[in-house]
């Protein structure tokens, strides 16, 4: 199979990790160096836009990169991701579909693209799935393969650390190979750091390993400095070779990153907010927000659209909600612009580097 354009995923590796609100857009500006196993290397200046939106049942993401290389060449790379839970459950198991489209092109080379679609059954912190992945390289016939996936994830409460492990077995051109990826993510108030280790195992294609790390530090709620480095394995579907990379830059966010109002002592185990019953399905939530001029609540029950709270005086804000018994997730919007995780209330990871608070209706 002919090798396609070089991979610019090195510059997308530090694409926005954090999703302060439930939708986000950002633009990264950076530079980096990619080095191939054979010893050759190149450097590039890159612009990398990205956007995401998610609810408890869907995730939509798009990212891209425009790079200017040494010698005057240009390169483009784009990626789109969709994850959606289907509307039925079976004994606590949720059925979902995920799809990824990716493409690369160089002005002094050729283009390539790949697509993946997987159906999976998720339960608690574990999911099993199966699907099809295909790839095409310019001037070469396309290929398709069966992919089987098993993944698990764990939140190390009450610390902001998340662990993940994914195993993918791929049947390509009559031969199986297996990728095992382990990840660790730290999601602090201003710092988001992650580390990934990958192993590929195959008696025919050979076995190999790779590792990478990234760091994102929020100088302000809308500006972050970023750095990443490591290496990645060969992609047989786009013909992208194995390479190492180092990159860095800054990223500007359209929405402000949610910051905790206060930090609870490490020894305190925070509890979910329990709504105050008012009869029937009506409950009341109440918060203390010193200095706030307006407060709204956005949660999993209203598609994360902010609803205004009523000020009672003395920095107290409340709202009546019609919610059946269950567990919900929410954040507050203070003064119409800053997404805030209320202090003293249990939170969980939103899966995109941020935190969301937990609400119980008993």
């Amino acid at each position: 199979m002919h090798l396609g354009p070089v991979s610019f995923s090195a510059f997308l590796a530090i694409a926005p990790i954090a999703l302060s609100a439930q939708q986000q857009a950002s633009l990264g500006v950076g530079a980096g160096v990619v080095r191939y196993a054979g010893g050759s290397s190149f450097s590039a200046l890159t612009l990398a836009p990205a956007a995401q939106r998610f609810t408890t049942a869907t995730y939509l993401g798009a990212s891209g990169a425009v790079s200017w290389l040494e010698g005057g060449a240009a390169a483009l790379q784009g990626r789109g991701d969709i994850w959606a839970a289907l509307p039925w459950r079976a004994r606590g198991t949720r059925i979902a579909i995920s799809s990824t489209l990716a493409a690369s092109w160089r002005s002094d080379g050729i283009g390539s693209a790949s697509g993946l679609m997987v159906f999976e059954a998720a339960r608690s912190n574990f999911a099993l799935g199966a699907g099809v992945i295909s790839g095409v390289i310019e001037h070469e016939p396309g290929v398709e393969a069966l992919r089987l996936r098993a993944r698990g994830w764990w939140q190390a409460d009450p610390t902001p650390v998340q662990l993940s492990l994914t195993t993918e077995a791929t049947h390509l051109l009559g031969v199986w190979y297996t990728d095992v990826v382990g990840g660790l993510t730290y999601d602090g108030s201003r710092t988001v750091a992650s580390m990934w280790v990958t192993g590929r195992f195959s008696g025919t294609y050979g076995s190999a390993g790779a590792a990478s790390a990234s760091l994102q530090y929020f100088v302000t709620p809308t500006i972050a400095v970023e750095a990443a480095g490591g290496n990645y394995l060969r992609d047989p579907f786009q013909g992208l070779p194995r390479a190492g990379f180092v990159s860095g830059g800054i990223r500007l966010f359209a929405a402000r990153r949610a910051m905790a109002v206060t930090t609870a002592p490490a020894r305190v185990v925070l509890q979910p907010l329990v709504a105050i019953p008012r009869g029937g399905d009506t409950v009341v939530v109440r918060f203390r927000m010193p200095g706030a001029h307006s407060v709204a609540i956005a949660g999993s029950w209203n598609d994360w659209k902010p609803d205004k709270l009523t000020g009672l005086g003395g920095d107290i804000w409340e709202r009546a909600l019609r919610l059946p018994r269950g567990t919900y997730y929410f954040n507050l919007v203070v003064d119409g612009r800053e997404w805030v995780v209320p202090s003293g209330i249990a939170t969980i990871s939103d899966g995109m580097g941020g935190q969301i608070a937990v609400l119980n209706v008993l």
Side-chain angles (χ1 to χ4, degrees):
M1 182 180 293
H2 192 280
L3 288 182
V6 297
S7 173
F8 290 88
S9 58
F11 305 109
L12 294 177
I14 55 175
I17 303 170
L19 188 63
S20 305
Q22 274 55 53
Q23 56 187 11
Q24 180 65 279
S26 65
L27 176 65
V29 181
V33 177
V34 175
R35 184 174 180 83
Y36 301 115
S40 61
S41 64
F42 71 90
S43 59
L45 173 66
T46 300
L47 293 178
Q52 303 114 334
R53 184 182 189 279
F54 87 100
T55 68
T56 55
T58 60
Y59 169 78
L60 302 175
S63 59
V66 181
S67 300
W68 292 268
L69 314 180
E70 297 170 314
L76 302 176
Q77 186 173 38
R79 175 179 172 130
D81 293 279
I82 299 175
W83 181 91
L86 301 182
W88 63 81
R89 291 173 178 257
R91 296 184 179 180
T93 299
R94 181 165 57 175
I95 307 300
I97 182 173
S98 66
S99 180
T100 298
L101 297 175
S104 300
W105 174 83
R106 273 188 65 156
S107 61
D108 59 350
I110 57 178
S112 64
S114 65
L116 168 68
M117 180 172 289
V118 173
F119 287 90
E120 66 178 10
R123 184 181 180 90
S124 185
N125 294 336
F126 185 75
L128 294 174
V132 176
I133 181 171
S134 62
V136 60
I137 302 173
E138 191 175 354
H139 309 310
E140 297 288 341
V143 295
E144 292 185 350
L146 171 67
R147 174 158 290 179
L148 306 179
R149 175 191 292 169
R151 61 189 183 96
W153 56 95
W154 304 268
Q155 180 76 38
D157 292 330
T159 66
V161 175
Q162 188 174 56
L163 304 175
S164 64
L165 180 65
T166 301
T167 300
E168 292 185 329
T170 304
H171 191 250
L172 174 63
L173 301 177
V175 177
W176 286 96
Y177 71 86
T178 301
D179 288 345
V180 180
V181 182
L184 183 151
T185 299
Y186 171 84
D187 180 21
S189 177
R190 288 182 176 269
T191 303
V192 180
S194 63
M195 180 174 65
W196 302 92
V197 178
T198 303
R200 176 169 293 170
F201 306 95
S202 173
T204 301
Y205 296 123
S207 299
S212 63
S214 65
L215 176 66
Q216 188 177 65
Y217 179 77
F218 281 81
V219 181
T220 74
T222 57
I223 301 176
V225 293
E226 305 173 315
N231 56 3
Y232 49 85
L233 299 178
R234 177 177 178 267
D235 180 353
F237 294 95
Q238 290 196 68
L240 306 177
R242 176 187 174 94
F245 69 94
V246 176
S247 60
I250 62 172
R251 182 165 292 275
L252 309 178
F253 292 84
R256 298 167 65 90
R257 176 174 171 82
M259 302 289 187
V261 177
T262 60
T263 302
R267 291 178 296 176
V268 176
V269 178
L270 301 180
Q271 299 296 323
L273 174 68
V274 178
I276 304 170
R278 280 281 180 88
D281 286 342
T282 301
V283 296
V284 171
V285 291
R286 188 173 295 158
F287 306 93
R288 182 180 180 86
M289 285 288 146
H293 298 290
S294 68
V295 179
I297 187 169
S300 55
W301 62 87
N302 66 355
D303 200 27
W304 298 96
K305 297 177 181 177
D307 291 327
K308 291 184 178 180
L309 276 67
T310 301
L312 303 181
D315 297 324
I316 303 299
W317 299 80
E318 77 167 22
R319 183 177 176 88
L321 304 170
R322 291 184 60 85
L323 296 175
R325 293 181 180 179
T327 299
Y328 304 89
Y329 306 99
F330 72 96
N331 274 346
L332 299 180
V333 183
V334 177
D335 295 337
R337 63 180 186 275
E338 185 171 3
W339 289 72
V340 172
V341 179
S343 62
I345 297 175
T347 63
I348 64 170
S349 170
D350 62 14
M352 293 299 298
Q355 296 290 313
I356 50 179
V358 182
L359 168 66
N360 281 344
V361 177
L362 304 179

